[in-house]
Structures are given as structure tokens and as C-alpha cells.
């Protein structure tokens, strides 16, 4: 007999994903300067941010590699990982760590 995922769990996961995608760039812990740079380009939510390429972000005035790294870390903190990275299970009560995929 096949195991089924309860619909309420699927709905909860869907609601959680929607909530995370709708978070503003300020809500994910970016510096005010970074948030202002993004908003000048029309990037207001995590959803908007996930649709930007590295090149899109680096083409923003005053947005360099350090700021890009800040954005990656903020996205990782809400569960979105850059290509080539994967979460490592957290040590009891600690935040998840990220390891570069081999």
C-alpha cells in the first residue's frame, strides 16, 4: 500500500512557501542600504529577488560582491539556497549550515 502525504501537511508546506516568497527584502535581514539598492530596481520581495540573476544584482549601482554575499546569506536563512550549495542538518537547536555541493 502506498504511503500518502496528508493534505493538511501539503497545504501547510504550500502556505509556508507562499509566506516566505512574499517576505519583503527588509524582513529577511538585509541592511537598509542593500534594501534601498534593491527597491530602486523594483525588487521588493523574496520572490522578486529569486528572479534576479547574479549579473542583474551586480549591475545595480553600489552593489558589489560583498552585498551579493549578504543577499545569499539572507536567502539561506529563510530556506533558499544558491545553486551548488545545500543545507547541512542543524546541530541540535542551531541554525542550518551550508556546504558547497561536490
Amino acid at each position: 500500500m502506498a504511503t500518502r502525504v496528508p493534505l493538511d501537511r501539503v497545504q501547510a508546506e504550500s502556505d509556508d512557501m507562499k509566506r516566505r516568497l512574499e517576505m519583503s527584502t527588509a524582513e529577511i535581514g538585509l541592511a537598509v542600504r542593500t534594501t534601498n539598492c534593491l527597491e530602486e530596481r523594483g525588487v521588493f520581495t523574496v520572490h522578486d529577488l529569486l528572479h534576479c540573476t547574479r549579473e542583474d544584482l551586480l549591475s545595480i549601482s553600489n552593489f558589489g560582491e560583498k552585498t551579493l554575499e549578504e543577499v545569499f546569506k539572507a536567502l539561506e536563512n529563510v530556506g533558499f539556497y544558491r545553486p551548488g550549495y545545500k543545507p547541512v542538518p542543524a546541530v541540535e537547536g542551531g541554525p542550518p549550515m551550508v556546504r558547497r555541493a561536490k
Side-chain angles (χ1 to χ4, degrees):
M1 182 170 161
T3 304
R4 294 184 180 193
V5 177
L7 287 179
D8 57 333
R9 186 170 130 208
V10 172
Q11 184 63 46
E13 289 173 3
S14 174
D15 291 346
D16 180 57
M17 177 63 77
K18 183 177 179 186
R19 179 192 58 78
R20 290 186 297 138
L21 288 171
E22 291 175 350
M23 291 174 77
S24 73
T25 54
E27 287 179 279
I28 63 171
L30 295 175
V32 172
R33 185 187 69 76
T34 304
T35 301
N36 291 340
C37 287
L38 292 169
E39 289 179 353
E40 285 179 22
R41 274 292 177 95
V43 178
F44 297 97
T45 65
V46 169
H47 181 267
D48 297 336
L49 193 52
L50 292 173
H51 283 86
C52 292
T53 65
R54 175 188 179 89
E55 291 73 27
D56 292 338
L57 295 174
L58 290 174
S59 71
I60 298 172
S61 179
N62 298 315
F63 200 105
E65 290 290 335
K66 287 174 97 174
T67 308
L68 183 64
E69 189 62 28
E70 175 192 353
V71 167
F72 284 145
K73 286 182 180 185
L75 288 171
E76 289 167 0
N77 286 336
V78 293
F80 296 101
Y81 299 90
R82 58 189 124 173
Y85 281 73
K86 62 180 180 177
V88 175
V91 178
E92 276 187 48
M97 298 176 66
V98 178
R99 180 182 320 157
R100 187 171 188 106
K102 293 181 179 180

XYZ file of all heavy atoms in Angstrom:
803
model
N 0.841 -1.180 0.000
C 0.000 0.000 0.000
C 0.885 1.241 0.000
O 1.846 1.328 0.750
C -0.899 -0.022 1.233
C -1.838 1.134 1.300
S -3.022 0.800 2.621
C -3.601 2.410 2.874
N 0.585 2.169 -0.859
C 1.366 3.393 -0.983
C 1.100 4.315 0.204
O -0.010 4.403 0.704
C 1.023 4.111 -2.281
N 2.157 4.999 0.626
C 2.014 5.965 1.704
C 1.589 7.293 1.100
O 2.152 7.744 0.115
C 3.358 6.146 2.437
O 3.785 4.876 2.895
C 3.225 7.110 3.587
N 0.612 7.908 1.695
C 0.132 9.198 1.209
C 0.542 10.305 2.166
O 0.584 10.116 3.369
C -1.386 9.184 1.083
C -1.861 8.241 0.027
C -3.337 8.356 -0.108
N -3.790 7.427 -1.139
C -4.989 7.466 -1.647
N -5.861 8.339 -1.228
N -5.331 6.609 -2.580
N 0.824 11.473 1.603
C 1.129 12.636 2.416
C -0.202 13.289 2.772
O -1.014 13.565 1.893
C 2.017 13.634 1.631
C 2.270 14.865 2.457
C 3.315 12.966 1.217
N -0.447 13.524 4.058
C -1.711 14.144 4.446
C -1.880 15.513 3.778
O -0.931 16.290 3.688
C -1.583 14.299 5.965
C -0.485 13.383 6.366
C 0.416 13.237 5.181
N -3.082 15.788 3.309
C -3.344 17.042 2.614
C -3.070 18.254 3.483
O -2.598 19.276 2.986
C -4.784 17.076 2.104
C -5.077 16.178 0.913
C -6.550 16.282 0.516
C -4.199 16.529 -0.270
N -3.344 18.159 4.788
C -3.098 19.303 5.649
C -1.610 19.637 5.719
O -1.223 20.791 5.792
C -3.686 19.100 7.042
C -3.180 17.848 7.735
O -2.794 16.884 7.055
O -3.194 17.839 8.988
N -0.738 18.622 5.640
C 0.705 18.862 5.629
C 1.122 19.525 4.317
O 1.928 20.461 4.303
C 1.460 17.554 5.823
C 2.948 17.779 5.954
C 3.669 16.529 6.375
N 4.771 16.350 5.445
C 5.296 15.201 5.131
N 4.832 14.095 5.644
N 6.305 15.131 4.295
N 0.572 19.061 3.222
C 0.878 19.657 1.917
C 0.418 21.113 1.903
O 1.149 21.996 1.440
C 0.203 18.851 0.777
C 0.348 19.573 -0.546
C 0.790 17.452 0.695
N -0.769 21.370 2.428
C -1.298 22.735 2.480
C -0.412 23.616 3.359
O -0.115 24.748 3.010
C -2.740 22.754 2.994
C -3.373 24.127 2.973
C -3.504 24.702 1.576
O -3.934 24.029 0.660
N -3.126 25.950 1.410
N 0.026 23.090 4.487
C 0.885 23.853 5.394
C 2.213 24.199 4.719
O 2.705 25.322 4.840
C 1.128 23.074 6.683
N 2.794 23.230 3.997
C 4.052 23.487 3.295
C 3.860 24.520 2.188
O 4.700 25.383 1.974
C 4.618 22.187 2.730
C 5.145 21.257 3.796
C 5.566 19.894 3.263
O 5.498 19.664 2.035
O 5.969 19.061 4.089
N 2.734 24.440 1.501
C 2.416 25.402 0.451
C 2.239 26.800 1.038
O 2.753 27.783 0.492
C 1.145 24.972 -0.288
O 0.755 25.949 -1.215
N 1.536 26.888 2.158
C 1.331 28.177 2.819
C 2.651 28.763 3.300
O 2.884 29.968 3.191
C 0.366 28.031 4.005
C -1.058 27.723 3.574
O -1.381 27.881 2.370
O -1.862 27.311 4.448
N 3.536 27.891 3.826
C 4.840 28.355 4.294
C 5.674 28.894 3.137
O 6.306 29.943 3.262
C 5.579 27.211 4.993
C 6.951 27.653 5.489
O 7.023 28.624 6.270
O 7.956 27.017 5.087
N 5.669 28.186 2.009
C 6.420 28.650 0.838
C 5.885 29.995 0.361
O 6.647 30.919 0.074
C 6.342 27.618 -0.290
C 7.035 28.055 -1.570
S 8.808 28.291 -1.405
C 9.349 26.613 -1.416
N 4.572 30.118 0.305
C 3.956 31.382 -0.131
C 4.348 32.522 0.806
O 4.703 33.607 0.359
C 2.438 31.230 -0.177
C 1.731 32.446 -0.678
C 0.232 32.228 -0.773
C -0.440 33.493 -1.267
N -1.886 33.393 -1.244
N 4.325 32.250 2.111
C 4.684 33.267 3.100
C 6.138 33.709 2.917
O 6.442 34.895 2.918
C 4.483 32.710 4.514
C 4.860 33.686 5.616
C 4.931 33.021 6.992
N 5.875 31.924 7.072
C 7.210 32.066 7.178
N 7.736 33.264 7.180
N 7.996 31.011 7.263
N 7.041 32.733 2.715
C 8.456 33.079 2.543
C 8.690 33.863 1.260
O 9.497 34.781 1.229
C 9.323 31.824 2.576
C 9.374 31.206 3.968
C 10.328 30.033 4.081
N 9.919 28.928 3.237
C 10.745 28.192 2.508
N 12.030 28.417 2.527
N 10.290 27.199 1.772
N 7.999 33.510 0.183
C 8.162 34.228 -1.087
C 7.633 35.653 -1.019
O 8.124 36.539 -1.714
C 7.465 33.465 -2.221
C 8.146 32.176 -2.654
C 7.243 31.405 -3.613
C 9.499 32.454 -3.303
N 6.643 35.875 -0.177
C 6.034 37.202 -0.059
C 6.751 38.110 0.943
O 6.404 39.281 1.067
C 4.561 37.073 0.330
C 3.714 36.481 -0.776
C 2.267 36.225 -0.367
O 1.950 36.327 0.842
O 1.474 35.915 -1.264
N 7.760 37.582 1.639
C 8.503 38.403 2.599
C 9.198 39.548 1.863
O 9.699 39.374 0.750
C 9.560 37.570 3.322
C 9.001 36.543 4.269
S 10.288 35.479 4.968
C 10.985 36.581 6.192
N 9.227 40.706 2.504
C 9.939 41.834 1.899
C 11.440 41.630 2.073
O 11.885 40.868 2.940
C 9.520 43.153 2.560
O 10.074 43.254 3.857
N 12.208 42.331 1.270
C 13.662 42.211 1.374
C 14.133 42.697 2.750
O 15.101 42.168 3.279
C 14.365 42.992 0.253
O 13.895 44.345 0.251
C 14.120 42.357 -1.103
N 13.436 43.644 3.341
C 13.800 44.131 4.674
C 13.556 43.058 5.734
O 14.313 42.954 6.698
C 13.010 45.385 5.000
N 12.537 42.252 5.561
C 12.186 41.218 6.540
C 13.212 40.091 6.636
O 13.253 39.389 7.644
C 10.834 40.583 6.211
C 9.637 41.444 6.483
C 8.361 40.726 6.091
O 8.033 40.735 4.891
O 7.713 40.148 6.996
N 14.006 39.896 5.602
C 14.956 38.775 5.628
C 16.301 39.173 6.222
O 17.231 38.372 6.240
C 15.130 38.115 4.241
C 15.728 39.064 3.210
C 13.808 37.544 3.770
C 16.107 38.391 1.900
N 16.401 40.377 6.725
C 17.598 40.784 7.450
C 18.662 41.484 6.637
O 19.810 41.531 7.063
N 18.296 42.027 5.496
C 19.278 42.768 4.706
C 19.505 44.149 5.305
O 18.602 44.725 5.929
C 18.795 42.921 3.263
C 18.670 41.640 2.457
C 18.060 41.925 1.100
C 20.026 40.971 2.294
N 20.692 44.691 5.106
C 20.993 46.042 5.558
C 20.086 47.031 4.830
O 19.638 46.777 3.706
C 22.461 46.372 5.273
N 19.828 48.158 5.468
C 18.968 49.184 4.873
C 19.522 49.623 3.518
O 18.772 49.776 2.551
C 18.822 50.389 5.831
C 18.089 51.541 5.158
C 18.106 49.974 7.108
N 20.833 49.802 3.429
C 21.450 50.221 2.157
C 21.184 49.200 1.069
O 20.850 49.538 -0.063
C 22.964 50.408 2.348
C 23.675 50.951 1.117
C 25.183 50.968 1.296
N 25.758 49.638 1.330
C 25.939 48.862 0.253
N 25.549 49.277 -0.936
N 26.485 47.681 0.357
N 21.304 47.924 1.402
C 21.061 46.854 0.436
C 19.594 46.860 0.001
O 19.287 46.761 -1.188
C 21.441 45.484 1.035
O 22.805 45.539 1.456
C 21.239 44.365 0.031
N 18.702 46.970 0.978
C 17.268 47.016 0.673
C 16.952 48.200 -0.238
O 16.193 48.062 -1.204
C 16.442 47.106 1.981
O 16.736 45.956 2.782
C 14.965 47.148 1.703
N 17.551 49.352 0.046
C 17.312 50.537 -0.797
C 17.802 50.323 -2.223
O 17.121 50.702 -3.183
C 17.974 51.776 -0.187
C 17.302 52.233 1.081
O 16.148 51.886 1.346
N 18.008 53.003 1.886
N 18.972 49.709 -2.374
C 19.503 49.414 -3.713
C 18.532 48.519 -4.482
O 18.249 48.754 -5.660
C 20.860 48.721 -3.618
S 22.238 49.754 -3.125
N 18.043 47.490 -3.812
C 17.123 46.552 -4.463
C 15.802 47.230 -4.825
O 15.280 47.034 -5.924
C 16.871 45.337 -3.561
C 18.072 44.421 -3.344
C 17.787 43.427 -2.229
C 18.437 43.700 -4.634
N 15.272 48.022 -3.909
C 13.992 48.675 -4.166
C 14.075 49.678 -5.312
O 13.114 49.848 -6.054
C 13.464 49.335 -2.888
C 13.003 48.294 -1.879
C 12.483 48.878 -0.581
O 12.583 50.112 -0.379
O 11.975 48.085 0.235
N 15.242 50.313 -5.494
C 15.432 51.224 -6.626
C 15.304 50.481 -7.950
O 14.947 51.067 -8.967
C 16.795 51.919 -6.546
C 16.842 52.997 -5.499
C 18.212 53.660 -5.411
O 18.990 53.591 -6.391
O 18.503 54.235 -4.360
N 15.591 49.180 -7.947
C 15.471 48.334 -9.137
C 14.132 47.618 -9.213
O 13.910 46.793 -10.084
C 16.574 47.280 -9.146
C 17.852 47.741 -9.748
C 17.676 47.959 -11.272
N 18.879 48.471 -11.833
C 19.817 47.735 -12.401
N 19.673 46.442 -12.480
N 20.885 48.300 -12.871
N 13.242 47.881 -8.244
C 11.934 47.248 -8.270
C 11.895 45.874 -7.631
O 10.972 45.091 -7.870
N 12.897 45.559 -6.823
C 12.957 44.270 -6.128
C 12.491 44.507 -4.696
O 13.210 45.109 -3.894
C 14.392 43.690 -6.146
C 14.457 42.386 -5.393
C 14.863 43.515 -7.583
N 11.271 44.049 -4.391
C 10.676 44.316 -3.093
C 10.476 43.065 -2.234
O 10.394 43.163 -1.027
C 9.314 45.009 -3.263
C 9.425 46.344 -3.923
C 9.201 46.477 -5.286
C 9.769 47.473 -3.202
C 9.307 47.703 -5.907
C 9.887 48.707 -3.810
C 9.655 48.832 -5.171
N 10.387 41.897 -2.858
C 10.091 40.672 -2.123
C 11.128 39.599 -2.423
O 11.916 39.724 -3.370
C 8.703 40.115 -2.510
O 8.741 39.726 -3.887
C 7.589 41.130 -2.281
N 11.072 38.534 -1.640
C 11.956 37.383 -1.890
C 11.665 36.822 -3.282
O 12.588 36.481 -4.021
C 11.771 36.304 -0.789
C 12.461 35.009 -1.169
C 12.278 36.818 0.545
N 10.398 36.779 -3.648
C 10.018 36.296 -4.985
C 10.730 37.116 -6.062
O 11.318 36.557 -6.995
C 8.502 36.374 -5.154
C 8.016 35.886 -6.472
N 7.817 36.724 -7.541
C 7.701 34.642 -6.904
C 7.391 36.021 -8.579
N 7.315 34.750 -8.213
N 10.690 38.437 -5.931
C 11.374 39.308 -6.895
C 12.875 39.013 -6.910
O 13.490 38.921 -7.975
C 11.183 40.788 -6.531
C 9.747 41.257 -6.579
O 8.927 40.640 -7.291
O 9.443 42.256 -5.884
N 13.436 38.866 -5.731
C 14.876 38.639 -5.602
C 15.305 37.328 -6.242
O 16.331 37.257 -6.916
C 15.248 38.659 -4.120
C 16.704 38.740 -3.731
C 17.416 39.888 -4.433
C 16.821 38.883 -2.223
N 14.494 36.286 -6.079
C 14.828 34.987 -6.655
C 14.774 34.983 -8.177
O 15.335 34.097 -8.818
C 13.906 33.897 -6.095
C 14.107 33.577 -4.617
C 13.028 32.624 -4.129
C 15.493 33.019 -4.350
N 14.130 35.978 -8.752
C 14.057 36.073 -10.207
C 15.162 36.952 -10.799
O 15.193 37.186 -12.001
C 12.679 36.573 -10.650
C 11.649 35.495 -10.575
N 10.953 35.222 -9.431
C 11.242 34.602 -11.488
C 10.135 34.206 -9.643
N 10.297 33.800 -10.888
N 16.069 37.434 -9.945
C 17.211 38.224 -10.412
C 18.407 37.305 -10.597
O 18.648 36.422 -9.778
C 17.583 39.284 -9.373
S 16.375 40.578 -9.152
N 19.148 37.545 -11.654
C 20.396 36.801 -11.843
C 21.512 37.514 -11.084
O 21.367 38.672 -10.669
C 20.785 36.728 -13.333
O 21.080 38.059 -13.790
C 19.672 36.099 -14.168
N 22.603 36.826 -10.934
C 23.796 37.415 -10.313
C 24.185 38.690 -11.061
O 24.494 39.706 -10.452
C 24.907 36.369 -10.362
C 26.235 36.830 -9.879
C 27.305 35.753 -10.154
N 28.596 36.197 -9.704
C 29.072 36.001 -8.487
N 28.370 35.341 -7.605
N 30.261 36.457 -8.168
N 24.138 38.615 -12.382
C 24.503 39.771 -13.204
C 23.531 40.926 -12.996
O 23.942 42.089 -12.975
C 24.562 39.373 -14.685
C 25.707 38.450 -15.034
C 25.527 37.013 -14.531
O 24.370 36.557 -14.361
O 26.547 36.352 -14.289
N 22.226 40.622 -12.869
C 21.237 41.666 -12.597
C 21.603 42.409 -11.316
O 21.581 43.643 -11.276
C 19.826 41.079 -12.406
C 19.219 40.493 -13.669
O 19.649 40.879 -14.778
O 18.316 39.641 -13.532
N 21.916 41.649 -10.286
C 22.213 42.262 -8.989
C 23.514 43.053 -9.027
O 23.586 44.176 -8.519
C 22.268 41.190 -7.907
C 20.948 40.467 -7.625
C 21.149 39.322 -6.645
C 19.891 41.437 -7.120
N 24.553 42.493 -9.644
C 25.832 43.187 -9.695
C 25.804 44.427 -10.587
O 26.680 45.284 -10.474
C 26.941 42.226 -10.136
C 27.301 41.153 -9.110
C 28.304 40.174 -9.697
C 27.817 41.763 -7.815
N 24.787 44.542 -11.433
C 24.680 45.738 -12.284
C 24.030 46.910 -11.538
O 24.019 48.024 -12.048
C 23.884 45.425 -13.559
O 22.514 45.237 -13.254
N 23.530 46.672 -10.338
C 22.931 47.747 -9.532
C 24.049 48.613 -8.978
O 25.069 48.110 -8.483
C 22.087 47.151 -8.378
C 20.933 46.320 -8.926
C 21.578 48.247 -7.454
C 20.170 45.532 -7.865
N 23.859 49.922 -9.034
C 24.842 50.860 -8.511
C 25.076 50.599 -7.020
O 24.125 50.389 -6.264
C 24.328 52.283 -8.727
O 25.248 53.211 -8.222
N 26.336 50.612 -6.595
C 26.739 50.370 -5.208
C 26.434 48.953 -4.717
O 26.300 48.719 -3.520
C 26.097 51.384 -4.250
C 26.526 52.791 -4.552
O 27.695 53.054 -4.772
N 25.570 53.702 -4.597
N 26.308 48.011 -5.619
C 26.001 46.628 -5.267
C 27.145 45.770 -5.777
O 27.289 45.545 -6.970
C 24.686 46.215 -5.944
C 24.000 45.038 -5.328
C 22.872 45.204 -4.542
C 24.474 43.752 -5.540
C 22.223 44.124 -3.981
C 23.838 42.662 -4.987
C 22.705 42.849 -4.208
N 27.986 45.315 -4.864
C 29.148 44.520 -5.258
C 29.106 43.111 -4.705
O 28.066 42.636 -4.240
N 30.252 42.461 -4.723
C 30.358 41.069 -4.277
C 29.986 40.893 -2.806
O 29.340 39.923 -2.442
C 31.769 40.527 -4.525
C 32.115 40.317 -5.985
C 31.364 39.168 -6.633
O 30.926 38.235 -5.920
O 31.213 39.203 -7.863
N 30.393 41.834 -1.950
C 30.067 41.720 -0.528
C 28.554 41.821 -0.308
O 27.987 41.094 0.503
C 30.788 42.798 0.273
C 32.273 42.552 0.426
C 32.946 43.711 1.096
C 33.105 43.417 2.568
N 33.894 44.478 3.245
N 27.927 42.709 -1.044
C 26.475 42.861 -0.928
C 25.780 41.625 -1.477
O 24.789 41.158 -0.901
C 26.010 44.126 -1.673
O 26.789 45.237 -1.233
C 24.543 44.408 -1.419
N 26.285 41.081 -2.555
C 25.726 39.859 -3.128
C 25.810 38.715 -2.119
O 24.855 37.964 -1.938
C 26.463 39.498 -4.416
C 25.941 38.290 -5.178
C 24.517 38.528 -5.675
C 26.855 37.981 -6.358
N 26.934 38.609 -1.433
C 27.103 37.573 -0.410
C 26.109 37.785 0.732
O 25.544 36.830 1.263
C 28.541 37.571 0.109
C 28.860 36.409 1.015
C 28.729 35.043 0.358
O 28.913 34.931 -0.878
O 28.424 34.073 1.081
N 25.879 39.035 1.106
C 24.875 39.349 2.137
C 23.495 38.858 1.705
O 22.751 38.269 2.502
C 24.836 40.865 2.380
C 23.741 41.294 3.331
C 23.515 42.799 3.337
O 24.280 43.550 2.700
O 22.528 43.219 3.972
N 23.152 39.072 0.443
C 21.862 38.632 -0.086
C 21.767 37.109 -0.050
O 20.759 36.551 0.394
C 21.640 39.166 -1.528
C 20.473 38.476 -2.204
C 21.438 40.675 -1.506
N 22.815 36.419 -0.497
C 22.812 34.950 -0.473
C 22.603 34.427 0.947
O 21.822 33.507 1.176
C 24.116 34.385 -1.037
C 24.223 34.432 -2.536
C 25.450 34.662 -3.137
C 23.123 34.235 -3.351
C 25.574 34.676 -4.523
C 23.231 34.250 -4.731
C 24.459 34.472 -5.311
N 23.301 34.998 1.911
C 23.179 34.535 3.298
C 21.780 34.801 3.850
O 21.223 33.967 4.564
C 24.244 35.185 4.162
C 25.607 34.596 3.895
C 26.679 35.183 4.780
C 28.004 34.518 4.421
N 29.086 34.922 5.270
N 21.202 35.943 3.522
C 19.848 36.257 3.984
C 18.839 35.282 3.384
O 17.920 34.817 4.070
C 19.489 37.698 3.629
N 19.010 34.954 2.103
C 18.110 33.989 1.462
C 18.272 32.601 2.075
O 17.284 31.885 2.278
C 18.355 33.939 -0.053
C 17.874 35.147 -0.838
C 18.364 35.074 -2.277
C 16.358 35.256 -0.794
N 19.500 32.222 2.383
C 19.739 30.922 3.018
C 19.065 30.850 4.383
O 18.552 29.801 4.767
C 21.245 30.661 3.139
C 21.887 30.385 1.796
C 23.405 30.433 1.807
O 24.009 30.690 2.883
O 23.995 30.231 0.735
N 19.037 31.967 5.091
C 18.408 32.000 6.415
C 16.896 31.764 6.359
O 16.301 31.384 7.360
C 18.708 33.312 7.131
C 20.129 33.381 7.627
O 20.776 32.364 7.847
N 20.634 34.580 7.782
N 16.289 32.006 5.201
C 14.846 31.740 5.058
C 14.590 30.515 4.192
O 13.469 30.245 3.790
C 14.053 32.973 4.539
C 14.052 34.076 5.576
C 14.562 33.460 3.208
N 15.653 29.741 3.893
C 15.484 28.451 3.242
C 15.662 28.392 1.745
O 15.306 27.402 1.114
N 16.255 29.423 1.150
C 16.519 29.407 -0.294
C 18.031 29.398 -0.497
O 18.736 30.263 0.003
C 15.901 30.625 -0.989
C 14.408 30.642 -0.914
C 13.752 31.440 0.008
C 13.647 29.840 -1.752
C 12.370 31.456 0.076
C 12.265 29.840 -1.686
C 11.627 30.650 -0.760
N 18.520 28.400 -1.223
C 19.954 28.197 -1.380
C 20.388 28.426 -2.813
O 19.691 28.064 -3.751
C 20.329 26.776 -0.926
C 19.981 26.576 0.528
C 18.735 26.096 0.901
C 20.884 26.928 1.510
C 18.402 25.954 2.240
C 20.564 26.789 2.849
C 19.317 26.310 3.207
O 19.000 26.186 4.527
N 21.582 28.996 -2.955
C 22.135 29.247 -4.285
C 22.527 27.925 -4.930
O 22.782 26.933 -4.245
C 23.315 30.194 -4.208
C 24.440 29.707 -3.328
C 25.484 30.771 -3.118
N 25.645 30.982 -1.688
C 26.577 31.752 -1.179
N 27.414 32.385 -1.960
N 26.668 31.907 0.118
N 22.572 27.913 -6.257
C 22.970 26.686 -6.948
C 24.351 26.239 -6.485
O 25.249 27.052 -6.286
C 23.003 27.108 -8.423
C 22.111 28.299 -8.506
C 22.248 28.996 -7.173
N 24.509 24.941 -6.289
C 25.791 24.409 -5.865
C 25.958 24.344 -4.357
O 26.975 23.901 -3.869
N 24.973 24.817 -3.618
C 25.022 24.766 -2.165
C 23.844 23.945 -1.679
O 22.790 23.926 -2.301
C 24.945 26.172 -1.560
C 26.259 26.895 -1.615
C 26.749 27.390 -2.812
C 27.007 27.091 -0.478
C 27.950 28.051 -2.868
C 28.214 27.762 -0.527
C 28.685 28.233 -1.721
O 29.878 28.879 -1.777
N 24.033 23.280 -0.559
C 22.924 22.527 0.001
C 22.982 22.626 1.520
O 24.066 22.756 2.100
C 22.965 21.071 -0.442
C 24.180 20.311 0.009
C 24.146 18.886 -0.482
C 25.389 18.143 -0.002
N 25.385 16.770 -0.388
N 21.830 22.575 2.162
C 21.824 22.689 3.618
C 22.374 21.427 4.271
O 22.219 20.328 3.761
C 20.345 22.868 3.949
C 19.612 22.290 2.791
C 20.505 22.465 1.595
N 23.044 21.611 5.376
C 23.532 20.514 6.193
C 22.639 20.495 7.426
O 22.353 21.547 7.985
C 25.010 20.753 6.597
C 25.498 19.676 7.539
C 25.874 20.846 5.363
N 22.169 19.330 7.856
C 21.287 19.297 9.022
C 21.885 20.055 10.203
O 23.086 19.979 10.468
C 21.159 17.809 9.333
C 21.495 17.118 8.058
C 22.465 18.009 7.342
N 21.028 20.796 10.897
C 21.471 21.606 12.027
C 21.853 20.723 13.205
O 21.318 19.644 13.400
C 20.361 22.556 12.437
N 22.790 21.225 13.976
C 23.137 20.590 15.239
C 22.059 21.049 16.219
O 21.643 22.197 16.183
C 24.538 21.050 15.707
C 24.887 20.448 17.043
C 25.576 20.715 14.659
N 21.625 20.185 17.081
C 20.521 20.446 17.991
C 20.338 21.919 18.316
O 21.160 22.525 18.972
C 20.723 19.686 19.297
C 20.246 18.267 19.238
C 20.324 17.614 20.602
O 19.869 18.224 21.573
O 20.862 16.516 20.659
N 19.225 22.482 17.863
C 18.862 23.849 18.179
C 19.631 24.921 17.429
O 19.292 26.091 17.506
N 20.655 24.548 16.689
C 21.445 25.530 15.961
C 20.886 25.778 14.584
O 20.022 25.054 14.103
N 21.351 26.827 13.930
C 20.881 27.122 12.573
C 21.444 26.116 11.578
O 22.505 25.525 11.831
C 21.442 28.519 12.292
C 22.661 28.598 13.157
C 22.348 27.774 14.385
N 20.752 25.914 10.457
C 21.306 25.015 9.453
C 22.600 25.599 8.888
O 22.737 26.798 8.781
C 20.223 24.936 8.386
C 19.337 26.085 8.629
C 19.497 26.495 10.058
N 23.525 24.730 8.562
C 24.767 25.162 7.948
C 24.668 24.876 6.456
O 23.839 24.114 6.021
C 25.938 24.415 8.570
C 26.082 24.686 10.056
S 27.378 23.707 10.799
C 28.813 24.393 10.005
N 25.535 25.523 5.701
C 25.517 25.332 4.248
C 26.850 24.767 3.819
O 27.898 25.215 4.264
C 25.237 26.671 3.536
C 25.273 26.483 2.042
C 23.906 27.236 3.973
N 26.793 23.772 2.960
C 28.013 23.155 2.440
C 27.963 23.226 0.925
O 26.942 22.980 0.319
C 28.091 21.701 2.899
C 29.320 21.014 2.394
C 29.401 19.571 2.786
N 28.943 19.347 4.152
C 28.506 18.179 4.588
N 28.458 17.149 3.804
N 28.114 18.049 5.828
N 29.086 23.541 0.340
C 29.178 23.570 -1.121
C 29.060 22.138 -1.631
O 29.755 21.244 -1.170
C 30.486 24.180 -1.561
C 30.539 24.388 -3.041
C 31.765 25.188 -3.428
N 31.652 25.511 -4.802
C 31.366 26.701 -5.285
N 31.210 27.693 -4.484
N 31.250 26.891 -6.567
N 28.158 21.926 -2.592
C 27.971 20.593 -3.170
C 29.193 20.223 -3.993
O 29.803 21.060 -4.640
C 26.710 20.567 -4.034
N 29.534 18.946 -3.975
C 30.710 18.491 -4.742
C 30.285 17.958 -6.073
O 29.259 17.485 -6.305
C 31.449 17.427 -3.965
C 32.064 17.984 -2.718
C 32.821 16.906 -1.991
C 33.458 17.495 -0.741
N 34.198 16.538 -0.003
